[in-house]
Amino acid sequence: MSPALPRSVRLVEVGPRDGLQNEARPVSLDAKRQLLEQLAQAGLRYLEAGSFVHPERVPQMADSDTLLRDLRRHPGVTYAALTPNQRGFERALAAGVDEVAVFAAASETFSQKNINCSIDDSLARFEPLMHSAREANLPVRGYISCVLGCPYTGRVAPEQVLALTHQLLDLGCREVSLGDTIGVGTPGDTARLLDVLLAEIPPERLAVHMHDTYGQALANIYVALTHGISVVDSAVAGLGGCPFAPGAAGNVATEDVVYMLNGLGIEHGVDLEALVHAGDTICRTLGRDNASRVARALLSRADS
Ligand code: HMG
Ligand code: MG
């Protein structure tokens, strides 16, 4: 018997944030606006558009205030941004975001390198932010980095991820996105992690966020689907990486996820052709290769 799969999946498009944060060359506001516009036109309903972190630590995101404030918004699309602390939240609120995301790590060393504090201190920094978000009626998403491995210390125990997931949900996060930041996890690792988490946490509260460094991301997502998880983060053209996770490749490409969901008969609301166009446009603008296998296949067919 084939495993039970969700009828529909909600795609969280992180390309404009996770994708662009790692680009070596400056990306213009116009290019960011065009990307967001084309992604919305392709049918994506959740766009992580920017990040309110320290501008010197992630220069590519320094213009998130302007980008979000002046953005032409599509009705029904959630425009979200990362906020590491109260200062970031205030900037996000002023820019008019629809949702914010806090981000913690399941590895102490990564937490220090990424957000300059311990895991416990990061949770303490989130508390006033969560309070302000409740007052402003803004939902908060939670991320956990390094759920399948840390670039500095290696293996991460599923129990550590479980404890942190509980803490983020208890703080008031709507859902927790499980980040394989360096894309090392295999389907076996993903299944073992999810078996531990789902013994205590309903699948509706979890999302997966797979980077594709070792080419395992789609297989890991398939495992997550068979475990009842129906929220998948991805980045158009497979853009991305984390500036504080050396060697990490981009997120799984949205085009590749959409193609797989089509084959599985799972609804997602995205027009693949329009999505491929969005990915092709940003890759040309950035002068970089398209990391989506599906986009490359479809674009080479169109060329011939
Ligand atoms: P910090 O130095 O510990 O902050 O940085 P602080 O509270 O000590 O403040 C120091 C100075 O920074 C102060 O300025 C603050 O005002 C300022 P001063 O008084 O000295 O002039 N400051 C800020 N300025 C603007 N916006 C802010 C802000 N906060 C403080 N929000 C901080 C802590 C987190 C801000 C810093 O370490 C930082 O920006 N880190 C970057 C983290 C980041 O963006 N990482 C990449 C995204 S996470 C990721 O990619 C993983 C994910 O995709 C999931 C996965 O794949 O695993 C989500
Ligand atoms: Mg990421």
Side-chain angles (χ1 to χ4, degrees):
M1 203 178 75
S2 49
L5 291 166
R7 285 220 347 257
S8 68
V9 155
R10 189 161 62 82
L11 290 168
V12 170
E13 172 59 48
V14 298
R17 191 280 305 172
D18 204 339
L20 299 185
Q21 74 180 8
N22 209 34
E23 283 299 315
R25 278 184 276 165
V27 184
S28 72
L29 268 173
D30 277 348
K32 292 179 180 179
R33 286 192 194 104
Q34 184 180 37
L35 176 62
L36 288 163
E37 176 63 28
Q38 290 184 337
L39 291 169
Q41 278 175 11
L44 285 152
R45 288 293 162 264
Y46 191 108
L47 302 177
E48 198 172 76
S51 181
F52 294 96
V53 297
H54 198 291
E56 280 168 23
R57 295 215 63 206
V58 188
Q60 288 290 11
M61 294 290 114
D63 57 8
S64 289
D65 311 73
T66 315
L67 176 71
L68 273 143
R69 202 182 49 229
D70 301 340
L71 198 64
R72 189 173 92 83
R73 301 184 186 221
H74 284 241
V77 175
T78 298
Y79 293 90
L82 292 192
T83 51
N85 52 19
Q86 181 68 15
R87 169 101 180 81
F89 179 79
E90 281 159 17
R91 289 173 57 201
L93 191 64
V97 302
D98 302 312
E99 173 159 324
V100 296
V102 294
F103 48 107
S107 145
E108 281 295 351
T109 309
F110 187 79
S111 184
Q112 290 290 352
K113 300 263 185 197
N114 194 34
I115 51 176
N116 197 28
C117 62
S118 68
I119 300 170
D120 280 349
D121 286 348
S122 72
L123 296 171
R125 286 178 180 188
F126 299 156
E127 268 176 37
L129 185 166
M130 300 301 298
H131 179 77
S132 304
R134 261 191 304 279
E135 286 200 328
N137 221 2
L138 274 196
V140 183
R141 190 170 202 246
Y143 277 106
I144 303 179
S145 288
C146 302
V147 300
L148 298 176
C150 168
Y152 304 102
T153 54
R155 198 179 162 274
V156 170
E159 291 69 23
Q160 169 78 359
V161 181
L162 175 67
L164 194 50
T165 306
H166 275 305
Q167 284 171 303
L168 287 173
L169 292 175
D170 290 349
L171 271 175
C173 289
R174 182 178 65 68
E175 75 187 11
V176 171
S177 179
L178 304 167
D180 183 10
T181 317
I182 51 170
V184 283
T186 65
D189 299 323
T190 304
R192 275 187 289 280
L193 172 68
L194 292 178
D195 286 342
V196 170
L197 293 186
L198 292 168
E200 296 185 17
I201 292 163
E204 304 77 52
R205 308 297 301 275
L206 298 174
V208 285
H209 177 105
M210 298 293 177
H211 287 260
D212 203 24
T213 320
Y214 285 77
Q216 306 290 299
L218 269 188
N220 291 342
I221 290 167
Y222 183 75
V223 167
L225 296 176
T226 65
H227 279 72
I229 290 177
S230 61
V231 182
V232 175
D233 299 4
S234 60
V236 68
L239 297 172
C242 174
F244 310 103
N251 291 87
V252 66
T254 311
E255 298 90 322
D256 298 4
V257 176
V258 163
Y259 183 82
M260 179 175 81
L261 295 177
N262 285 346
L264 293 168
I266 297 175
E267 287 166 28
H268 49 73
V270 176
D271 174 345
L272 181 55
E273 204 181 315
L275 180 64
V276 167
H277 176 62
D280 187 40
T281 308
I282 187 68
C283 287
R284 284 173 194 272
T285 306
L286 299 175
R288 56 131 64 211
D289 291 337
N290 195 322
S292 161
R293 302 285 290 265
V294 167
R296 289 210 302 263
L298 293 176
L299 288 165
S300 70
R301 225 172 52 179
D303 283 347
S304 61

